[in-house]
Short mmCIF file of all heavy atoms in Angstrom, two decimals:
data_model
loop_
_atom_site.label_atom_id
_atom_site.label_comp_id
_atom_site.label_asym_id
_atom_site.label_seq_id
_atom_site.Cartn_x
_atom_site.Cartn_y
_atom_site.Cartn_z
N MET A 262 -66.48 29.30 -21.80
CA MET A 262 -67.92 29.00 -21.76
C MET A 262 -68.46 28.91 -23.19
O MET A 262 -68.20 29.78 -24.01
CB MET A 262 -68.63 30.12 -21.01
CG MET A 262 -70.11 29.84 -20.81
SD MET A 262 -70.82 30.98 -19.64
CE MET A 262 -69.91 30.51 -18.15
N PRO A 263 -69.17 27.86 -23.48
CA PRO A 263 -69.69 27.71 -24.86
C PRO A 263 -70.77 28.75 -25.14
O PRO A 263 -71.47 29.20 -24.24
CB PRO A 263 -70.28 26.30 -24.86
CG PRO A 263 -70.57 25.99 -23.43
CD PRO A 263 -69.55 26.74 -22.63
N ALA A 264 -70.86 29.10 -26.39
CA ALA A 264 -71.89 30.05 -26.81
C ALA A 264 -72.92 29.31 -27.66
O ALA A 264 -72.59 28.38 -28.40
CB ALA A 264 -71.27 31.19 -27.60
N CYS A 265 -74.14 29.75 -27.55
CA CYS A 265 -75.21 29.16 -28.35
C CYS A 265 -74.98 29.45 -29.82
O CYS A 265 -74.83 30.61 -30.20
CB CYS A 265 -76.54 29.74 -27.89
SG CYS A 265 -77.93 29.22 -28.90
N PRO A 266 -74.95 28.43 -30.66
CA PRO A 266 -74.74 28.68 -32.08
C PRO A 266 -75.94 29.36 -32.73
O PRO A 266 -75.81 29.94 -33.82
CB PRO A 266 -74.52 27.28 -32.67
CG PRO A 266 -75.18 26.36 -31.72
CD PRO A 266 -75.05 26.99 -30.36
N GLU A 267 -77.07 29.31 -32.09
CA GLU A 267 -78.26 29.91 -32.68
C GLU A 267 -78.32 31.41 -32.44
O GLU A 267 -78.65 32.18 -33.33
CB GLU A 267 -79.52 29.26 -32.09
CG GLU A 267 -79.69 27.81 -32.44
CD GLU A 267 -79.92 27.60 -33.93
OE1 GLU A 267 -80.62 28.43 -34.54
OE2 GLU A 267 -79.39 26.63 -34.49
N CYS A 268 -78.01 31.84 -31.24
CA CYS A 268 -78.17 33.26 -30.92
C CYS A 268 -76.89 33.87 -30.34
O CYS A 268 -76.88 35.04 -30.01
CB CYS A 268 -79.34 33.45 -29.97
SG CYS A 268 -79.06 32.77 -28.33
N GLU A 269 -75.85 33.04 -30.19
CA GLU A 269 -74.56 33.50 -29.69
C GLU A 269 -74.61 33.98 -28.26
O GLU A 269 -73.69 34.64 -27.79
CB GLU A 269 -73.98 34.57 -30.62
CG GLU A 269 -73.75 34.03 -32.02
CD GLU A 269 -73.03 35.03 -32.92
OE1 GLU A 269 -72.86 36.18 -32.51
OE2 GLU A 269 -72.64 34.62 -34.02
N ASN A 270 -75.68 33.65 -27.57
CA ASN A 270 -75.74 33.92 -26.15
C ASN A 270 -74.76 33.00 -25.44
O ASN A 270 -74.64 31.83 -25.77
CB ASN A 270 -77.16 33.64 -25.65
CG ASN A 270 -77.30 33.83 -24.15
OD1 ASN A 270 -76.98 34.88 -23.63
ND2 ASN A 270 -77.79 32.81 -23.48
N ALA A 271 -74.03 33.53 -24.48
CA ALA A 271 -73.13 32.68 -23.71
C ALA A 271 -73.96 31.74 -22.85
O ALA A 271 -74.83 32.18 -22.10
CB ALA A 271 -72.22 33.53 -22.84
N LEU A 272 -73.71 30.46 -23.01
CA LEU A 272 -74.47 29.48 -22.24
C LEU A 272 -73.88 29.38 -20.84
O LEU A 272 -72.72 29.04 -20.67
CB LEU A 272 -74.41 28.13 -22.95
CG LEU A 272 -75.09 28.10 -24.32
CD1 LEU A 272 -74.79 26.80 -25.04
CD2 LEU A 272 -76.58 28.27 -24.17
N ASP A 273 -74.70 29.71 -19.88
CA ASP A 273 -74.24 29.75 -18.50
C ASP A 273 -74.34 28.37 -17.89
O ASP A 273 -75.26 28.06 -17.15
CB ASP A 273 -75.10 30.77 -17.73
CG ASP A 273 -74.56 30.95 -16.32
OD1 ASP A 273 -73.40 30.58 -16.07
OD2 ASP A 273 -75.31 31.45 -15.48
N ILE A 274 -73.40 27.52 -18.26
CA ILE A 274 -73.43 26.15 -17.78
C ILE A 274 -72.16 25.87 -16.99
O ILE A 274 -71.05 26.07 -17.48
CB ILE A 274 -73.53 25.17 -18.96
CG1 ILE A 274 -74.82 25.42 -19.74
CG2 ILE A 274 -73.47 23.73 -18.47
CD1 ILE A 274 -74.83 24.75 -21.09
N ASP A 275 -72.34 25.43 -15.78
CA ASP A 275 -71.20 25.04 -14.96
C ASP A 275 -70.98 23.54 -15.14
O ASP A 275 -71.87 22.74 -14.89
CB ASP A 275 -71.51 25.37 -13.50
CG ASP A 275 -70.26 25.19 -12.64
OD1 ASP A 275 -69.40 24.35 -12.99
OD2 ASP A 275 -70.17 25.89 -11.62
N ALA A 276 -69.81 23.18 -15.60
CA ALA A 276 -69.53 21.76 -15.86
C ALA A 276 -69.73 20.92 -14.61
O ALA A 276 -69.99 19.72 -14.68
CB ALA A 276 -68.11 21.60 -16.39
N ASP A 277 -69.61 21.55 -13.45
CA ASP A 277 -69.81 20.80 -12.21
C ASP A 277 -71.28 20.49 -11.95
O ASP A 277 -71.62 19.65 -11.13
CB ASP A 277 -69.27 21.60 -11.02
CG ASP A 277 -67.76 21.71 -11.08
OD1 ASP A 277 -67.12 20.82 -11.68
OD2 ASP A 277 -67.21 22.68 -10.53
N ASP A 278 -72.14 21.23 -12.64
CA ASP A 278 -73.57 21.08 -12.39
C ASP A 278 -74.26 20.12 -13.35
O ASP A 278 -75.44 19.84 -13.23
CB ASP A 278 -74.27 22.43 -12.50
CG ASP A 278 -73.92 23.33 -11.32
OD1 ASP A 278 -73.45 22.80 -10.31
OD2 ASP A 278 -74.12 24.54 -11.42
N VAL A 279 -73.53 19.69 -14.36
CA VAL A 279 -74.15 18.83 -15.36
C VAL A 279 -73.39 17.52 -15.48
O VAL A 279 -72.24 17.41 -15.06
CB VAL A 279 -74.22 19.53 -16.74
CG1 VAL A 279 -75.12 20.76 -16.68
CG2 VAL A 279 -72.83 19.90 -17.23
N GLU A 280 -74.06 16.56 -16.06
CA GLU A 280 -73.45 15.27 -16.31
C GLU A 280 -73.66 14.91 -17.77
O GLU A 280 -74.55 15.45 -18.43
CB GLU A 280 -74.12 14.18 -15.46
CG GLU A 280 -74.00 14.41 -13.97
CD GLU A 280 -74.71 13.31 -13.21
OE1 GLU A 280 -75.43 12.51 -13.83
OE2 GLU A 280 -74.53 13.25 -11.98
N GLU A 281 -72.87 13.98 -18.23
CA GLU A 281 -73.07 13.51 -19.59
C GLU A 281 -74.50 13.01 -19.75
O GLU A 281 -75.00 12.26 -18.92
CB GLU A 281 -72.12 12.35 -19.90
CG GLU A 281 -70.72 12.82 -20.25
CD GLU A 281 -69.81 11.65 -20.59
OE1 GLU A 281 -70.29 10.70 -21.24
OE2 GLU A 281 -68.65 11.69 -20.18
N GLY A 282 -75.13 13.44 -20.82
CA GLY A 282 -76.49 13.01 -21.07
C GLY A 282 -77.53 14.01 -20.62
O GLY A 282 -78.69 13.92 -21.01
N ASP A 283 -77.11 14.96 -19.78
CA ASP A 283 -78.05 16.00 -19.39
C ASP A 283 -78.41 16.87 -20.58
O ASP A 283 -77.63 17.02 -21.51
CB ASP A 283 -77.42 16.90 -18.32
CG ASP A 283 -77.51 16.29 -16.93
OD1 ASP A 283 -78.08 15.19 -16.82
OD2 ASP A 283 -77.02 16.92 -15.98
N VAL A 284 -79.59 17.42 -20.53
CA VAL A 284 -80.00 18.34 -21.58
C VAL A 284 -80.17 19.72 -20.95
O VAL A 284 -80.84 19.87 -19.95
CB VAL A 284 -81.31 17.89 -22.25
CG1 VAL A 284 -81.81 18.95 -23.23
CG2 VAL A 284 -81.10 16.57 -22.97
N VAL A 285 -79.51 20.68 -21.56
CA VAL A 285 -79.61 22.05 -21.07
C VAL A 285 -80.19 22.89 -22.21
O VAL A 285 -80.10 22.52 -23.37
CB VAL A 285 -78.25 22.60 -20.65
CG1 VAL A 285 -77.69 21.81 -19.48
CG2 VAL A 285 -77.26 22.58 -21.82
N SER A 286 -80.77 24.00 -21.86
CA SER A 286 -81.35 24.82 -22.91
C SER A 286 -80.84 26.25 -22.82
O SER A 286 -80.54 26.75 -21.74
CB SER A 286 -82.87 24.78 -22.86
OG SER A 286 -83.33 25.21 -21.61
N CYS A 287 -80.75 26.87 -23.96
CA CYS A 287 -80.33 28.27 -24.04
C CYS A 287 -81.42 29.15 -23.46
O CYS A 287 -82.58 29.02 -23.82
CB CYS A 287 -80.07 28.62 -25.51
SG CYS A 287 -79.72 30.36 -25.76
N GLU A 288 -81.02 30.03 -22.56
CA GLU A 288 -82.02 30.89 -21.94
C GLU A 288 -82.59 31.91 -22.92
O GLU A 288 -83.67 32.43 -22.73
CB GLU A 288 -81.38 31.63 -20.75
CG GLU A 288 -81.05 30.70 -19.61
CD GLU A 288 -80.41 31.44 -18.45
OE1 GLU A 288 -80.21 32.65 -18.58
OE2 GLU A 288 -80.11 30.80 -17.44
N GLU A 289 -81.83 32.20 -23.94
CA GLU A 289 -82.26 33.23 -24.88
C GLU A 289 -83.23 32.70 -25.93
O GLU A 289 -84.26 33.29 -26.20
CB GLU A 289 -81.04 33.83 -25.59
CG GLU A 289 -80.20 34.72 -24.70
CD GLU A 289 -80.97 35.96 -24.25
OE1 GLU A 289 -81.66 36.56 -25.08
OE2 GLU A 289 -80.87 36.31 -23.07
N CYS A 290 -82.89 31.57 -26.55
CA CYS A 290 -83.70 31.12 -27.69
C CYS A 290 -84.35 29.76 -27.45
O CYS A 290 -85.12 29.30 -28.26
CB CYS A 290 -82.86 31.10 -28.96
SG CYS A 290 -81.58 29.83 -28.97
N GLY A 291 -83.99 29.11 -26.35
CA GLY A 291 -84.64 27.86 -26.01
C GLY A 291 -84.07 26.64 -26.71
O GLY A 291 -84.57 25.54 -26.52
N THR A 292 -83.05 26.84 -27.51
CA THR A 292 -82.43 25.69 -28.16
C THR A 292 -81.86 24.75 -27.11
O THR A 292 -81.25 25.19 -26.14
CB THR A 292 -81.29 26.17 -29.09
OG1 THR A 292 -81.82 27.05 -30.06
CG2 THR A 292 -80.62 24.99 -29.79
N GLU A 293 -82.10 23.47 -27.30
CA GLU A 293 -81.64 22.50 -26.32
C GLU A 293 -80.36 21.83 -26.75
O GLU A 293 -80.14 21.56 -27.94
CB GLU A 293 -82.73 21.44 -26.09
CG GLU A 293 -83.96 22.03 -25.44
CD GLU A 293 -84.95 20.96 -25.06
OE1 GLU A 293 -85.18 20.04 -25.85
OE2 GLU A 293 -85.49 21.06 -23.95
N PHE A 294 -79.51 21.57 -25.78
CA PHE A 294 -78.23 20.93 -26.03
C PHE A 294 -78.06 19.77 -25.08
O PHE A 294 -78.37 19.87 -23.90
CB PHE A 294 -77.08 21.92 -25.81
CG PHE A 294 -77.20 23.15 -26.67
CD1 PHE A 294 -77.85 24.27 -26.19
CD2 PHE A 294 -76.68 23.17 -27.94
CE1 PHE A 294 -77.98 25.41 -26.97
CE2 PHE A 294 -76.79 24.29 -28.73
CZ PHE A 294 -77.44 25.41 -28.24
N GLU A 295 -77.53 18.69 -25.61
CA GLU A 295 -77.20 17.56 -24.75
C GLU A 295 -75.73 17.66 -24.38
O GLU A 295 -74.88 17.97 -25.21
CB GLU A 295 -77.45 16.25 -25.49
CG GLU A 295 -77.13 15.04 -24.62
CD GLU A 295 -77.45 13.74 -25.33
OE1 GLU A 295 -78.09 13.76 -26.39
OE2 GLU A 295 -77.02 12.70 -24.81
N VAL A 296 -75.45 17.39 -23.12
CA VAL A 296 -74.07 17.38 -22.66
C VAL A 296 -73.45 16.05 -23.08
O VAL A 296 -73.89 14.98 -22.65
CB VAL A 296 -74.02 17.52 -21.12
CG1 VAL A 296 -72.58 17.44 -20.64
CG2 VAL A 296 -74.67 18.83 -20.69
N VAL A 297 -72.46 16.12 -23.95
CA VAL A 297 -71.83 14.89 -24.42
C VAL A 297 -70.53 14.61 -23.67
O VAL A 297 -70.04 13.49 -23.66
CB VAL A 297 -71.57 14.92 -25.94
CG1 VAL A 297 -72.89 14.90 -26.69
CG2 VAL A 297 -70.76 16.12 -26.35
N ALA A 298 -69.97 15.63 -23.04
CA ALA A 298 -68.78 15.45 -22.23
C ALA A 298 -68.68 16.63 -21.28
O ALA A 298 -69.18 17.72 -21.56
CB ALA A 298 -67.54 15.37 -23.11
N THR A 299 -68.05 16.40 -20.14
CA THR A 299 -67.97 17.48 -19.15
C THR A 299 -66.55 18.01 -19.00
O THR A 299 -66.35 19.10 -18.48
CB THR A 299 -68.48 17.00 -17.78
OG1 THR A 299 -67.83 15.79 -17.41
CG2 THR A 299 -69.98 16.76 -17.85
N GLU A 300 -65.55 17.23 -19.39
CA GLU A 300 -64.18 17.71 -19.25
C GLU A 300 -63.39 17.44 -20.51
O GLU A 300 -62.87 16.33 -20.68
CB GLU A 300 -63.51 17.03 -18.05
CG GLU A 300 -64.10 17.50 -16.75
CD GLU A 300 -63.28 17.00 -15.57
OE1 GLU A 300 -62.09 16.68 -15.76
OE2 GLU A 300 -63.82 16.92 -14.47
N PRO A 301 -63.30 18.41 -21.40
CA PRO A 301 -63.95 19.72 -21.28
C PRO A 301 -65.43 19.63 -21.65
O PRO A 301 -65.86 18.64 -22.24
CB PRO A 301 -63.19 20.58 -22.30
CG PRO A 301 -62.78 19.59 -23.36
CD PRO A 301 -62.51 18.31 -22.60
N LEU A 302 -66.15 20.64 -21.29
CA LEU A 302 -67.58 20.66 -21.56
C LEU A 302 -67.85 20.68 -23.06
O LEU A 302 -67.35 21.53 -23.78
CB LEU A 302 -68.19 21.90 -20.91
CG LEU A 302 -69.72 22.00 -20.98
CD1 LEU A 302 -70.37 20.85 -20.24
CD2 LEU A 302 -70.17 23.33 -20.38
N GLN A 303 -68.61 19.69 -23.49
CA GLN A 303 -68.98 19.64 -24.90
C GLN A 303 -70.48 19.43 -25.01
O GLN A 303 -71.06 18.60 -24.33
CB GLN A 303 -68.27 18.48 -25.60
CG GLN A 303 -66.82 18.75 -25.89
CD GLN A 303 -66.21 17.65 -26.74
OE1 GLN A 303 -66.92 16.90 -27.39
NE2 GLN A 303 -64.90 17.53 -26.70
N LEU A 304 -71.06 20.21 -25.89
CA LEU A 304 -72.51 20.15 -26.06
C LEU A 304 -72.85 19.75 -27.48
O LEU A 304 -72.14 20.07 -28.42
CB LEU A 304 -73.12 21.53 -25.76
CG LEU A 304 -72.82 22.09 -24.39
CD1 LEU A 304 -73.35 23.52 -24.30
CD2 LEU A 304 -73.45 21.24 -23.30
N SER A 305 -73.95 19.05 -27.61
CA SER A 305 -74.44 18.69 -28.92
C SER A 305 -75.87 19.18 -29.03
O SER A 305 -76.70 18.93 -28.15
CB SER A 305 -74.40 17.16 -29.08
OG SER A 305 -75.06 16.77 -30.25
N GLN A 306 -76.15 19.90 -30.09
CA GLN A 306 -77.50 20.45 -30.22
C GLN A 306 -78.52 19.33 -30.37
O GLN A 306 -78.31 18.39 -31.13
CB GLN A 306 -77.57 21.38 -31.41
CG GLN A 306 -78.90 22.10 -31.51
CD GLN A 306 -78.86 23.22 -32.53
OE1 GLN A 306 -77.79 23.65 -32.95
NE2 GLN A 306 -80.02 23.70 -32.91
N VAL A 307 -79.59 19.42 -29.63
CA VAL A 307 -80.66 18.44 -29.70
C VAL A 307 -81.61 18.84 -30.82
O VAL A 307 -82.14 19.94 -30.82
CB VAL A 307 -81.43 18.35 -28.37
CG1 VAL A 307 -82.60 17.40 -28.51
CG2 VAL A 307 -80.50 17.90 -27.26
N GLU A 308 -81.77 17.94 -31.75
CA GLU A 308 -82.68 18.22 -32.86
C GLU A 308 -84.10 17.89 -32.45
O GLU A 308 -84.35 16.89 -31.79
CB GLU A 308 -82.32 17.37 -34.08
CG GLU A 308 -80.88 17.55 -34.51
CD GLU A 308 -80.66 18.90 -35.17
OE1 GLU A 308 -81.66 19.54 -35.54
OE2 GLU A 308 -79.51 19.31 -35.32
N ASP A 309 -85.04 18.70 -32.85
CA ASP A 309 -86.43 18.43 -32.54
C ASP A 309 -86.94 17.22 -33.30
O ASP A 309 -87.79 16.48 -32.85
CB ASP A 309 -87.30 19.63 -32.89
CG ASP A 309 -87.12 20.73 -31.86
OD1 ASP A 309 -86.73 20.40 -30.74
OD2 ASP A 309 -87.36 21.89 -32.19
N GLU A 310 -86.40 17.04 -34.50
CA GLU A 310 -86.85 15.93 -35.32
C GLU A 310 -85.84 14.80 -35.24
O GLU A 310 -84.70 15.01 -34.87
CB GLU A 310 -86.97 16.37 -36.77
CG GLU A 310 -87.66 17.69 -36.90
CD GLU A 310 -87.57 18.21 -38.32
OE1 GLU A 310 -86.58 18.87 -38.65
OE2 GLU A 310 -88.49 17.92 -39.08
N GLY A 311 -86.26 13.63 -35.63
CA GLY A 311 -85.31 12.55 -35.74
C GLY A 311 -85.28 11.60 -34.56
O GLY A 311 -84.42 10.75 -34.50
N TYR A 312 -86.17 11.79 -33.64
CA TYR A 312 -86.23 10.82 -32.55
C TYR A 312 -86.66 9.46 -33.10
O TYR A 312 -87.44 9.38 -34.05
CB TYR A 312 -87.25 11.26 -31.50
CG TYR A 312 -86.73 12.35 -30.60
CD1 TYR A 312 -86.81 13.67 -30.96
CD2 TYR A 312 -86.16 12.02 -29.37
CE1 TYR A 312 -86.34 14.68 -30.14
CE2 TYR A 312 -85.68 13.01 -28.54
CZ TYR A 312 -85.77 14.32 -28.92
OH TYR A 312 -85.31 15.31 -28.11
N ASP A 313 -86.17 8.42 -32.49
CA ASP A 313 -86.55 7.08 -32.94
C ASP A 313 -88.03 6.84 -32.72
O ASP A 313 -88.73 6.33 -33.56
CB ASP A 313 -85.76 6.02 -32.18
CG ASP A 313 -84.29 6.05 -32.57
OD1 ASP A 313 -84.00 6.54 -33.66
OD2 ASP A 313 -83.46 5.58 -31.77
N ASP A 314 -88.48 7.24 -31.57
CA ASP A 314 -89.88 7.07 -31.24
C ASP A 314 -90.43 8.40 -30.76
O ASP A 314 -89.74 9.15 -30.09
CB ASP A 314 -90.06 6.02 -30.14
CG ASP A 314 -89.76 4.64 -30.63
OD1 ASP A 314 -90.41 4.21 -31.59
OD2 ASP A 314 -88.86 4.00 -30.07
N GLU A 315 -91.66 8.64 -31.10
CA GLU A 315 -92.25 9.88 -30.65
C GLU A 315 -93.51 9.60 -29.85
O GLU A 315 -94.53 10.24 -29.99
CB GLU A 315 -92.57 10.77 -31.86
CG GLU A 315 -91.29 11.18 -32.58
CD GLU A 315 -91.56 12.28 -33.60
OE1 GLU A 315 -92.73 12.55 -33.88
OE2 GLU A 315 -90.57 12.84 -34.10
N ASP A 316 -93.38 8.62 -28.99
CA ASP A 316 -94.54 8.25 -28.19
C ASP A 316 -94.95 9.37 -27.25
O ASP A 316 -96.09 9.43 -26.81
CB ASP A 316 -94.21 7.00 -27.36
CG ASP A 316 -94.08 5.78 -28.26
OD1 ASP A 316 -94.62 5.82 -29.38
OD2 ASP A 316 -93.45 4.81 -27.84
N ASP A 317 -94.00 10.22 -26.92
CA ASP A 317 -94.33 11.30 -26.01
C ASP A 317 -95.15 12.39 -26.69
O ASP A 317 -95.83 13.15 -26.02
CB ASP A 317 -93.04 11.93 -25.46
CG ASP A 317 -92.31 10.97 -24.56
OD1 ASP A 317 -92.95 10.02 -24.09
OD2 ASP A 317 -91.11 11.18 -24.31
N GLU A 318 -95.05 12.45 -27.97
CA GLU A 318 -95.77 13.50 -28.68
C GLU A 318 -97.26 13.26 -28.61
O GLU A 318 -97.75 12.14 -28.76
CB GLU A 318 -95.36 13.52 -30.16
CG GLU A 318 -93.88 13.80 -30.36
CD GLU A 318 -93.61 15.29 -30.28
OE1 GLU A 318 -94.52 16.06 -30.62
OE2 GLU A 318 -92.50 15.66 -29.87
N VAL A 319 -97.98 14.32 -28.38
CA VAL A 319 -99.44 14.23 -28.39
C VAL A 319 -99.90 14.46 -29.82
O VAL A 319 -99.84 15.56 -30.34
CB VAL A 319 -100.09 15.26 -27.45
CG1 VAL A 319 -101.59 15.16 -27.52
CG2 VAL A 319 -99.58 15.05 -26.03
N ARG A 320 -100.27 13.40 -30.45
CA ARG A 320 -100.62 13.52 -31.85
C ARG A 320 -102.06 13.08 -32.13
O ARG A 320 -102.48 13.00 -33.26
CB ARG A 320 -99.67 12.69 -32.72
CG ARG A 320 -98.23 13.15 -32.52
CD ARG A 320 -97.30 12.40 -33.43
NE ARG A 320 -97.52 12.78 -34.82
CZ ARG A 320 -96.60 12.69 -35.76
NH1 ARG A 320 -95.41 12.26 -35.47
NH2 ARG A 320 -96.85 13.03 -37.01
N ASP A 321 -102.76 12.76 -31.06
CA ASP A 321 -104.14 12.33 -31.26
C ASP A 321 -105.04 13.55 -31.31
O ASP A 321 -105.58 14.00 -30.32
CB ASP A 321 -104.58 11.42 -30.11
CG ASP A 321 -103.76 10.15 -30.10
OD1 ASP A 321 -103.55 9.59 -31.19
OD2 ASP A 321 -103.34 9.73 -29.01
N GLU A 322 -105.14 14.10 -32.48
CA GLU A 322 -105.96 15.29 -32.62
C GLU A 322 -107.06 15.06 -33.64
O GLU A 322 -107.34 15.87 -34.51
CB GLU A 322 -105.09 16.48 -33.03
CG GLU A 322 -104.15 16.90 -31.90
CD GLU A 322 -103.31 18.09 -32.30
OE1 GLU A 322 -103.57 18.64 -33.37
OE2 GLU A 322 -102.41 18.45 -31.53
N GLU A 323 -107.68 13.89 -33.53
CA GLU A 323 -108.71 13.56 -34.51
C GLU A 323 -110.00 14.31 -34.22
O GLU A 323 -110.83 14.49 -35.07
CB GLU A 323 -108.95 12.06 -34.50
CG GLU A 323 -107.73 11.32 -35.08
CD GLU A 323 -107.85 9.83 -34.87
OE1 GLU A 323 -108.98 9.37 -34.63
OE2 GLU A 323 -106.82 9.13 -34.93
N GLU A 324 -110.13 14.73 -32.97
CA GLU A 324 -111.30 15.51 -32.57
C GLU A 324 -111.23 16.90 -33.14
O GLU A 324 -110.20 17.55 -33.01
CB GLU A 324 -111.33 15.60 -31.05
CG GLU A 324 -112.49 14.92 -30.42
CD GLU A 324 -112.50 15.14 -28.94
OE1 GLU A 324 -111.44 15.00 -28.31
OE2 GLU A 324 -113.58 15.43 -28.43
N GLU A 325 -112.29 17.35 -33.71
CA GLU A 325 -112.24 18.72 -34.22
C GLU A 325 -113.50 19.47 -33.87
O GLU A 325 -114.56 18.91 -33.81
CB GLU A 325 -112.06 18.71 -35.73
CG GLU A 325 -110.62 18.31 -36.08
CD GLU A 325 -110.40 18.48 -37.59
OE1 GLU A 325 -111.29 19.06 -38.26
OE2 GLU A 325 -109.39 18.03 -38.09
ZN1 LIG B 516 -79.59 30.58 -28.00
#
């Protein structure tokens, strides 16, 4: 079972429950990981920054 590199919590992920491209998060610290492969299970940490587009971000805070 992979361990979270941030807090070393064992990530309770069943490879049967996830698919490539799924995003799972560490229950301890909230760090998110993308499933890049399931056999064997491989995770890639999702960076908060660096998205191509941030249209989802609420950034209209001109009102004060
Ligand atoms: Zn963690």
Side-chain angles (χ1 to χ4, degrees):
M262 185 167 296
C265 174
E267 295 294 322
C268 68
E269 299 186 351
N270 177 55
L272 295 170
D273 186 18
I274 299 166
D275 189 331
D277 292 334
D278 289 342
V279 295
E280 299 179 350
E281 280 182 38
D283 278 359
V284 173
V285 297
S286 58
C287 173
E288 291 179 359
E289 288 295 317
C290 69
T292 301
E293 294 188 317
F294 303 92
E295 181 177 349
V296 177
V297 292
T299 52
E300 291 189 23
L302 186 62
Q303 284 187 20
L304 303 173
S305 170
Q306 186 169 344
V307 176
E308 304 288 345
D309 285 336
E310 315 171 272
Y312 282 85
D313 291 338
D314 290 301
E315 296 191 349
D316 291 339
D317 292 341
E318 299 279 331
V319 178
R320 301 184 69 154
D321 296 316
E322 291 181 7
E323 291 171 19
E324 245 184 315
E325 287 187 9

